[in-house]
Amino acid sequence: ICLATNADLYSKYQRSINNYVATIGIPIEGSTREIHDSLRGVGNFSNVINAIDKIYKKGRLQIYFSTVLIKDNIEDLINIENLLARYQDRIIYWKIYNIINYSDRSFQSIKSNNISRIKIKKVMDVLGRKLDKSKIFYLSPNDRSEASLIINSDGDAIVPINKKTKTKDFTLGNFLKDRANNIFDNWSKAIDYNKYICHRCALRCIK
């Protein structure tokens, strides 16, 4: 089992997680409380560090990390790498990606703050001095298009599809009203697996 979590409830459920989960995914948005919590909420940085320390010292789980790239943290990536280096023998990969820029969701538009490809490449080229460079990769909005099946609170199953500079939801069906098999069939028809870049994340988890 591969579990993605923001780590807020890790301490409460750590026994079950350690017993049943093989790989855990944790977001790390900055090397400091100020940067990280500006995206994840007050107190989350402490929960993340506490969870990673417990997993590393007492657990057997493999870990993957993800970082949403914004102007506030792009210069901090090297510091995040230094922070993660102490756990490197447990790390499967570190994924860095742009926030999905939805055309109708103000939060993403505010936080995304377009960063040039040149700037991203420059920063990515510097990484890999403390962590294995093959474990660090960047995903652009195009790489992430059609890469996630998201279930909304109303049961709608949606796939974010990137169109030029904006992303919109493509609705596959509703899990409360439609058969799950029909929804997955619609998903397979809507995406091209050969360009489904994020599938390598999942494949690394099950090695």
Side-chain angles (χ1 to χ4, degrees), residues 31 110 120 158:
S31 65
I110 292 170
I120 294 171
I158 60 102

Side-chain angles (χ1 to χ4, degrees), residues 23-96:
T23 303
I24 191 166
I26 298 176
I28 182 80
E29 315 297 4
S31 65
T32 66
R33 177 180 291 105
E34 290 74 20
I35 298 174
H36 179 93
D37 285 358
S38 70
L39 269 178
R40 292 288 171 178
V42 176
N44 185 250
F45 183 76
S46 295
N47 291 335
V48 163
I49 298 303
N50 180 57
I52 300 170
D53 283 340
K54 285 183 177 179
I55 291 167
Y56 188 75
K57 294 175 182 177
K58 300 180 180 179
R60 55 172 178 75
L61 281 70
Q62 298 296 301
I63 312 170
Y64 70 86
F65 292 98
S66 59
T67 299
V68 175
L69 189 60
I70 59 173
K71 285 187 175 180
D72 292 344
N73 69 4
I74 189 167
E75 299 291 349
D76 191 47
L77 290 180
I78 189 67
N79 297 320
I80 297 176
E81 180 181 6
N82 292 336
L83 174 64
L84 298 181
R86 71 187 74 167
Y87 313 108
Q88 60 182 311
D89 57 315
R90 294 282 193 88
I91 296 176
I92 299 177
Y93 64 81
W94 175 25
K95 176 176 65 176
I96 301 165

Side-chain angles (χ1 to χ4, degrees), residues 153-205:
S153 58
D154 61 0
D156 277 350
I158 60 102
V159 172
I161 297 181
N162 187 62
K163 298 293 185 183
K164 295 184 178 179
T165 61
K166 297 294 184 180
T167 299
K168 293 189 176 182
D169 291 340
F170 178 78
T171 303
L172 303 171
N174 186 288
F175 275 103
L176 300 179
K177 302 174 183 177
D178 305 319
R179 293 175 60 87
N181 286 343
N182 291 340
I183 293 174
F184 290 124
D185 285 344
N186 290 338
W187 192 20
S188 67
K189 294 174 184 176
I191 70 167
D192 177 3
Y193 187 79
N194 291 324
K195 77 179 196 67
Y196 180 56
I197 303 297
C198 276
H199 78 276
R200 62 178 166 173
C201 308
L203 293 177
R204 293 189 188 199
C205 285

Side-chain angles (χ1 to χ4, degrees), residues 109-159:
S109 296
I110 292 170
K111 287 291 184 181
S112 60
N113 293 327
N114 292 334
I115 305 170
S116 72
R117 294 179 182 179
I118 295 174
K119 177 68 172 179
I120 294 171
K121 184 180 186 305
K122 182 179 179 181
V123 172
M124 292 300 299
D125 285 345
V126 174
L127 300 179
R129 296 178 180 177
K130 295 290 183 70
L131 292 176
D132 184 341
K133 202 170 185 69
S134 67
K135 294 183 177 182
I136 306 171
F137 58 93
Y138 164 74
L139 295 178
S140 70
N142 282 336
D143 292 331
R144 298 179 64 219
S145 180
E146 307 167 14
S148 302
L149 173 63
I150 300 170
I151 305 174
N152 289 334
S153 58
D154 61 0
D156 277 350
I158 60 102
V159 172

